[in-house]
Amino acid sequence: MHLEDLAEQAAQYRNEEAHIEREVRVCVAASCQSSGSLPVLEALKSACDSRGAGSCKVKGVGCMGLCSAGPLVAVADKDCDLNESVLYRDVTPDDAPDIMAGVCGAPVERLRCPTDQPFFSRQHRIVLEHSGLIDPESLRGYIAVGGYAALIRALTEMTPADVLREVTTSGLRGRGGGGYPTGLKWSTIAKMPPGQKYVVCNADEGDPGAFMDRAVLESDPHRVLEGMAIAAYAVGASKGYVYVRAEYPLAVERLETAIRKARRAGFLGAKVADTQFAFEVEIRLGAGAFVCGEETALMASIEGLRGQPRPRPPYPAESGLWGCPTLINNVETFANIAPIIREGGDWFASIGTEGSKGTKVFALAGKIKNTGLIEVPMGTSLRDIIEVIGGGIPDGRAFKAVQTGGPSGGCIPEAHLDIPVDYDSLKTLGTIMGSGGMIVMDETSCMVDVARFFMEFCMSESCGKCIPCRAGTWQMHALLDTLTKGRGTRADLALLEDLCEVVRATSLCGLGQTAPNPVLSTLRYFRDEYEAKLLPDA
Amino acid sequence: MPLPTPQPNVRVVTLRIDDRDLSAREDETLIEVCRENRIPIPSLCHLDGLSVWGGCRLCMVEIAGQGRLVAACSTRVAEGMEVRTDTERLRHYRRTIVELLFAERNHVCSVCVSNGHCELQTLAQRCGVDHVRLPYRQVPYPVDSSHEMFRLDHNRCILCTRCVRVCDEIEGAHTWDVMNRGSDCRVITDLARPWGESETCTSCGKCVQVCPTGALVKQGTSAGEMVKDQHFLPILARRRHAR
């Protein structure tokens, strides 16, 4: 298959839809589905049919971002994006006739959600560029917006070395949280002797409050497959696995559909796009263990073993699945690949900051007006994200802290909100980017409670293999529990700090090594809250 | 998996451990070199002849130029490596890890059949653990006496998985495994059936011999009698790997 064939397919699809002028897009990602978007979709479809209007199409699309206002419905001219559409919030099936009447006439004011607010206008969508615009279950819809063109270009016009060069030039760093340079990781695996190699997509997103990977898989699954196929071509792999947690049934279902359709259309399989390149993808379901997001535990789980980590080195690049070189990247990392090949590495490198290129998807959760999914250039300040894009704290309360990076991350207080968000600056504050979860807390939150919550999470998610993590997190949780109840002494606090250090320094994998972070960061910025809860010295 | 058998043409490197210049084969791990040269490195999960586990974290050492500590059992030697095995920091960490183990289950030596022949007890003495700063968890775990020859006491188990590995890698039965997560982890026979009802157990007793504590013992032995013999393991392992 050549690029021309693909363009022809896209043109054909557009031809078939030429009579359609306006689209009514209903979010059918998990967040909006949970607030009832499927009945809305049905109601709109039947309202559309009964009007007999041929120029309007009602379709289900992926996440539009503002999950707190769901179910969301966007009415737009075809080919117009979210910012140019009329957006309706909190839609119910009863609103369907009004919305359909407003498609060609005046918009329904009582349901309107302005799209010129900073939440939409300040975003820069690369990973999410098709999210909320295309039907995630339609391969033709994906092709119509330029999908799989990057893969075919890579296969027919570029050598694997060319692909590696573009990815390296782009400066993309791993979006799973570690921030390891993607180009470097890929070229390490490409340099391993030829033979069986694997590509693994880590979609085992387990951080409390994080749903970036879920949204990408539910909104644009082909995008992830395309990135994986390009990666496989670049490193010389022929087999890929997507490791998804079973708690994401909708993401799994859409991914299965996407794999089936991509295989039938020749974008996966023995001869991808009629070239000599072969690539198969399989889904592996994770049974809900947080530690399986750690790459060595994830590989053990794919191999059918108990999901627990092993010491590194050897790194997966050298000895991964069944001892073969294995490339493991996160969903968002793979979703960045197609635009990098399409627009070039230099284009990507021009976005973001010196050390962190491109954009980052964040999931805003907690005490914030606009909860949902955003994508902003690296280097956007935390204050911009929380106060401008996120709309600030509701109910007139004051901001207290934001937790970034999930249980492995830390809490940032008001004083540091002006810091630009990138891998390195967050590290200086004692937290990490993580996969992009952001939990905002207002003045009512007790930071000792917050630390206890995250420690409880780590304690129950510890795999139990190494002692500091297994027994240390239990003891730390017990100490935090005593402290929150106001029964702790100064000696308990000292012991807690000591355990933090031991668990951080001696644990086997990332889970244990970072489990003390929420305690350490709250102690760093909110030590007075711990001390206020101590029993008076005897 | 077990470490591969030495290749005929393997290079030799020199390194410094605790200010001593030593030579080692390139495919050796730090703990092997230390044990060869009688440099004491504590460990509860590592055993010559079994695969590397890296779970007890007691063999952590410092390497010059690396901020992070590494486990001696899972780190291979390298040319010019400078290793410290006994610094103030390491001693503190090891002591705390032993305390964590003592607080996790019941390790009251005076009422243990392995008293006097227990690796955890010996290690605690070496690390200078004369008291435990942490509160004891006090969870009563069951004792499985259903096997006619052996007994499993979960209260004494430190989850080093030596029994799991020896049964799988040396005996080839894979009767043992681990279930649950975190502090609820427990070694099990078959699918958590009583040991006496296990259909895969060959009653070879290797698991009992490699167990470092009083978790796996012979029935009918009195306190202090339960001496364990592990000399068979490296010999069997080498013969097996040579095939």
Side-chain angles (χ1 to χ4, degrees):
Chain A
M1 192 187 289
H2 293 282
L3 282 170
E4 295 84 56
D5 304 326
L6 200 68
E8 199 175 302
Q9 284 189 23
Q12 198 184 343
Y13 182 75
R14 280 163 190 273
N15 251 345
E16 283 169 29
E17 296 220 321
H19 61 286
I20 291 169
E21 289 162 11
R22 306 273 281 169
E23 285 186 336
V24 179
R25 302 173 188 143
V26 184
C27 173
V28 288
S31 320
C32 278
Q33 273 204 22
S34 65
S35 45
S37 71
L38 286 184
V40 171
L41 178 66
E42 286 312 309
L44 282 166
K45 273 189 173 158
S46 58
C48 181
D49 290 344
S50 65
R51 289 174 80 241
S55 66
C56 177
K57 182 185 181 183
V58 178
K59 67 174 184 181
V61 295
C63 183
M64 298 189 220
L66 193 57
C67 303
S68 53
L72 290 167
V73 175
V75 179
D77 287 344
K78 199 167 65 172
D79 303 328
C80 280
D81 67 12
L82 192 57
N83 291 3
E84 302 155 28
S85 62
V86 176
L87 188 65
Y88 296 121
R89 56 180 298 162
D90 301 309
V91 180
T92 62
D94 300 338
D95 299 323
D98 290 352
I99 290 175
M100 289 316 295
V103 165
C104 302
V108 190
E109 284 306 325
R110 69 187 160 87
L111 296 171
R112 271 196 82 170
C113 177
T115 50
D116 54 358
Q117 57 175 313
F119 184 85
F120 297 103
S121 60
R122 291 290 298 275
Q123 291 195 42
H124 185 130
R125 292 171 157 236
I126 295 175
V127 170
L128 302 174
E129 61 182 344
H130 303 141
S131 181
L133 298 181
I134 62 166
D135 178 354
E137 297 193 343
S138 163
L139 171 63
R140 301 182 71 207
Y142 181 66
I143 293 173
V145 291
Y148 286 113
L151 173 63
I152 292 181
R153 239 196 91 202
L155 293 180
T156 56
E157 295 173 7
M158 298 166 86
T159 63
D162 292 335
V163 177
L164 290 176
R165 205 170 302 125
E166 285 304 324
V167 175
T168 309
T169 310
S170 75
L172 175 67
R173 293 171 69 173
R175 297 294 195 247
Y180 191 79
T182 307
L184 187 58
K185 193 187 253 186
W186 286 25
S187 36
T188 313
I189 294 143
K191 286 224 164 75
M192 292 295 289
Q196 181 71 59
K197 294 178 187 177
Y198 295 97
V199 168
V200 175
C201 174
N202 184 347
D204 191 69
E205 179 177 60
D207 292 9
F211 49 92
M212 296 77 51
D213 296 349
R214 190 191 74 195
V216 171
L217 288 173
E218 285 171 356
S219 307
D220 203 0
H222 285 287
R223 179 65 167 270
V224 180
L225 295 178
E226 188 177 359
M228 287 180 73
I230 294 170
Y233 174 68
V235 304
S238 58
K239 173 98 201 181
Y241 292 96
V242 188
Y243 190 88
V244 201
R245 59 201 311 239
E247 290 96 324
Y248 285 178
L250 189 62
V252 173
E253 189 191 309
R254 296 218 171 124
L255 200 55
E256 274 170 352
T257 309
I259 291 174
R260 201 179 59 241
K261 289 189 175 176
R263 192 177 287 142
R264 198 173 297 161
F267 295 114
L268 294 174
K271 287 191 161 189
V272 175
D274 301 327
T275 65
Q276 290 307 307
F277 170 64
F279 185 57
E280 286 289 353
V281 174
E282 266 185 65
I283 297 178
R284 283 285 182 275
L285 289 190
F290 180 64
V291 74
C292 287
E294 199 276 343
E295 54 184 17
T296 59
L298 184 148
M299 293 189 310
S301 182
I302 289 182
E303 290 177 13
L305 305 171
R306 187 176 154 87
Q308 49 190 13
R310 59 161 176 73
R312 299 179 304 174
Y315 287 90
E318 191 190 326
S319 172
L321 283 173
W322 296 286
C324 301
T326 301
L327 170 73
I328 302 188
N329 274 142
N330 162 268
V331 172
E332 196 184 328
T333 315
F334 282 125
N336 269 307
I337 298 304
I340 287 174
I341 299 299
R342 186 183 68 210
E343 311 278 343
D346 290 319
W347 161 81
F348 192 83
S350 69
I351 305 161
T353 64
E354 187 56 39
S356 308
K357 306 294 188 193
T359 58
K360 178 78 193 83
V361 180
F362 291 105
L364 294 180
K367 300 287 173 58
I368 189 161
K369 258 189 204 129
N370 302 328
T371 54
L373 211 62
I374 58 162
E375 182 173 356
V376 291
M378 291 279 190
T380 308
S381 78
L382 271 174
R383 194 180 294 283
D384 267 4
I385 292 177
I386 291 162
E387 291 178 2
V388 181
I389 299 173
I393 317 293
D395 307 325
R397 295 220 170 89
F399 170 86
K400 184 161 192 183
V402 56
Q403 159 96 13
T404 73
S408 324
C411 296
I412 300 170
E414 165 99 50
H416 294 289
L417 275 193
D418 289 310
I419 196 162
V421 177
D422 63 28
Y423 291 100
D424 308 309
S425 55
L426 286 181
K427 215 171 260 175
T428 62
L429 293 182
T431 179
I432 55 164
M433 174 91 73
S435 52
M438 273 196 190
I439 303 174
V440 181
M441 288 164 271
D442 69 11
E443 55 190 335
T444 58
S445 300
C446 164
M447 300 316 280
V448 191
D449 271 347
V450 170
R452 185 187 57 166
F453 168 81
F454 281 106
M455 196 49 69
E456 185 172 358
F457 182 83
C458 291
M459 173 185 75
S460 53
E461 292 297 338
S462 167
C463 77
K465 178 172 176 175
C466 79
I467 293 153
C469 176
R470 181 182 78 223
T473 52
W474 188 93
Q475 293 284 355
M476 286 159 80
H477 176 259
L479 282 167
L480 285 162
D481 199 49
T482 317
L483 287 170
T484 50
K485 287 177 178 149
R487 294 194 209 123
T489 61
R490 200 154 287 277
D492 288 333
L493 190 57
L495 187 58
L496 178 67
E497 288 190 86
D498 186 26
L499 280 177
C500 280
E501 152 103 31
V502 176
V503 172
R504 187 191 56 75
T506 62
S507 286
L508 171 63
C509 83
L511 199 167
Q513 287 161 9
T514 58
N517 282 359
V519 185
L520 289 170
S521 76
T522 45
L523 270 170
R524 181 170 172 182
Y525 298 118
F526 302 96
R527 199 183 180 90
D528 51 328
E529 291 194 26
Y530 282 85
E531 305 214 326
K533 283 182 176 286
L534 295 181
L535 288 173
D537 289 326
Chain B
M1 288 301 290
L3 292 173
T5 42
Q7 297 297 306
N9 296 323
V10 85
R11 297 221 319 260
V12 171
V13 298
T14 52
L15 69 163
R16 257 176 109 73
I17 303 182
D18 293 342
D19 296 325
R20 282 171 64 187
D21 286 315
L22 301 168
S23 63
R25 278 198 330 267
E26 188 181 47
D27 59 354
E28 279 184 294
T29 57
L30 283 174
I31 205 166
E32 288 171 321
V33 179
C34 286
R35 299 224 158 135
E36 260 170 46
N37 292 285
R38 303 192 176 276
I39 298 168
I41 293 245
S43 175
L44 285 172
C45 66
H46 184 81
L47 209 51
D48 186 15
L50 294 184
S51 60
V52 170
W53 184 244
C56 76
R57 316 310 285 167
L58 284 159
C59 66
M60 302 285 274
V61 294
E62 288 176 14
I63 293 182
Q66 281 193 28
R68 215 157 242 189
L69 304 178
V70 299
C73 65
S74 61
T75 306
R76 284 181 194 269
V77 294
E79 180 64 44
M81 211 178 222
E82 282 193 41
V83 186
R84 296 243 150 238
T85 68
D86 195 28
T87 62
E88 189 53 50
R89 176 161 83 134
L90 291 173
R91 279 197 292 269
H92 174 66
Y93 290 169
R94 284 177 191 149
R95 200 197 135 110
T96 312
I97 288 174
V98 173
E99 284 182 59
L100 281 168
L101 278 175
F102 268 87
E104 190 177 32
R105 294 196 180 174
N106 179 340
H107 294 290
V108 180
C109 302
S110 57
V111 289
C112 180
V113 69
S114 283
N115 190 5
H117 304 288
C118 170
E119 293 183 40
L120 179 65
Q121 187 184 35
T122 313
L123 193 64
Q125 285 163 353
R126 285 218 187 112
C127 294
V129 179
D130 44 15
H131 69 287
V132 174
R133 292 169 295 161
L134 304 157
Y136 284 79
R137 280 186 67 208
Q138 311 279 20
V139 183
Y141 282 94
V143 177
D144 181 354
S145 299
S146 60
H147 196 283
E148 58 176 342
M149 290 154 74
F150 310 119
R151 185 167 65 238
L152 160 65
D153 183 351
H154 288 289
N155 297 289
R156 308 285 185 193
C157 179
I158 56 165
L159 295 164
C160 65
T161 70
R162 283 183 187 182
C163 54
V164 179
R165 285 174 286 153
V166 79
C167 187
D168 178 35
E169 295 162 14
I170 306 295
E171 176 64 8
H174 202 135
T175 300
W176 291 101
D177 219 316
V178 181
M179 72 177 228
N180 288 340
R181 267 208 295 249
S183 281
D184 297 328
C185 274
R186 194 147 70 89
V187 288
I188 50 167
T189 43
D190 288 354
L191 293 169
R193 288 163 72 180
W195 194 359
E197 291 170 25
S198 165
E199 283 167 8
T200 58
C201 177
T202 60
S203 301
C204 72
K206 290 189 181 70
C207 51
V208 176
Q209 296 306 325
V210 298
C211 175
T213 67
L216 291 175
V217 293
K218 271 189 271 184
Q219 302 252 30
T221 43
S222 62
E225 274 184 332
M226 192 52 232
V227 185
K228 290 184 178 176
D229 175 14
Q230 294 163 359
H231 86 278
F232 70 91
L233 184 59
I235 301 165
L236 272 186
R238 249 150 238 148
R239 283 189 192 156
R240 193 129 314 171
H241 295 161
R243 279 198 186 164

